[in-house]
Amino acid sequence: MASSSDVTPSAGNTPDSPDTGPAGRGRVRLRRAAVMAVPAAAVTAGLAILTAQGALGVQFAISGMPFTVTATELKGTGFAQFGGLDNMAEGSPNAGETGGQVLVVTSVIKEATLSKLCQSVDLGGTNLLITAGSGSKKVSASDLTTDSTDLSGDAAFDNIEIGNDASTLDKAGPKGRGPIGVFSQQADTVRIANLRQTNYATTAGVFKLPGLKLRFSDSGC
């Protein structure tokens, strides 16, 4: 997904007490993170939001501009997922009433392939559009990490475990391990057909995009 490569989640936890002071631009607001739970028998991936201690999903300041990622199929080995918070740069004009934070679901896949990848971001009046993997060669990534606020598709998992403490996850490697006390899930493999995501960040150790095309377009993915 052009959302990213390996996003390495940090293990920072936010305190539980409410913020009673004035809302300054540089202040990190106290929140709870949400977590995705996908039953093994589910045909369509669904989000089950559970309360858990907040954690940063990525180690860089996000722009605060969401982008769409689609693929006809994603296949991966070594899958992990847990909730987190992404932070914008101090004083970001995109912060609005959020305090510069976005509640996200962090997904990590150790090795992933994607068919017919499309990524687009709305720049206001036009879209920056990126496509790849439309030919015989698929997009591939290692330690692929995405921070999402919405995900849909037809999903299937092998040997899924739901309800783990995120700090104990081991199927997606070190980058697929979250902070202690956070609800999470992991699986040996994942397959999602007709994938569609709204992402705020993507990282990867290696990201190969055969047939890459970047252009401006009136419509997004």
Side-chain angles (χ1 to χ4, degrees):
M1 314 164 189
S3 49
S4 143
S5 207
D6 340 322
V7 172
T8 302
S10 72
N13 291 335
T14 58
D16 289 330
S17 58
D19 182 2
T20 57
R25 280 188 171 183
R27 176 164 305 187
V28 175
R29 295 184 179 178
L30 309 180
R31 290 191 178 181
R32 292 281 188 175
V35 184
M36 171 185 279
V38 185
V43 176
T44 302
L47 290 178
I49 303 302
L50 302 180
T51 302
Q53 190 70 20
L56 296 180
V58 292
Q59 292 182 330
F60 55 82
I62 62 171
S63 70
M65 297 177 66
F67 53 96
T68 299
V69 174
T70 65
T72 57
E73 183 182 61
L74 176 149
K75 288 185 176 181
T77 58
F79 170 79
Q81 198 169 65
F82 47 87
L85 288 171
D86 283 353
N87 289 269
M88 302 176 203
E90 182 177 353
S92 171
N94 299 321
E97 300 298 321
T98 68
Q101 290 186 325
V102 179
L103 188 65
V104 297
V105 173
T106 296
S107 302
V108 183
I109 302 176
K110 186 63 178 175
E111 298 291 339
T113 60
L114 301 99
S115 300
K116 297 184 178 179
L117 174 70
C118 178
Q119 175 180 296
S120 64
V121 57
D122 187 349
L123 301 177
T126 188
N127 292 271
L128 178 60
L129 188 68
I130 297 173
T131 57
S134 297
S136 59
K137 293 184 178 180
K138 298 180 180 180
V139 171
S140 62
S142 63
D143 293 328
L144 177 64
T145 305
T146 60
D147 285 5
S148 311
T149 55
D150 187 71
L151 183 154
S152 63
D154 299 322
F157 301 88
D158 287 333
N159 296 323
I160 193 168
E161 301 172 2
I162 300 174
N164 310 61
D165 186 296
S167 67
T168 68
L169 299 180
D170 56 8
K171 294 190 175 185
K175 294 190 176 182
R177 191 171 298 126
I180 190 169
V182 172
F183 182 96
S184 67
Q185 66 175 7
Q186 63 176 355
D188 288 346
T189 67
V190 58
R191 177 185 178 275
I192 304 178
N194 303 315
L195 173 70
R196 188 174 188 86
Q197 291 179 306
T198 299
N199 294 341
Y200 276 85
T202 296
T203 64
V206 176
F207 208 15
K208 296 181 179 180
L209 299 153
L212 173 66
K213 293 182 180 180
L214 184 152
R215 59 196 181 279
F216 291 103
S217 173
D218 292 336
S219 59
C221 298

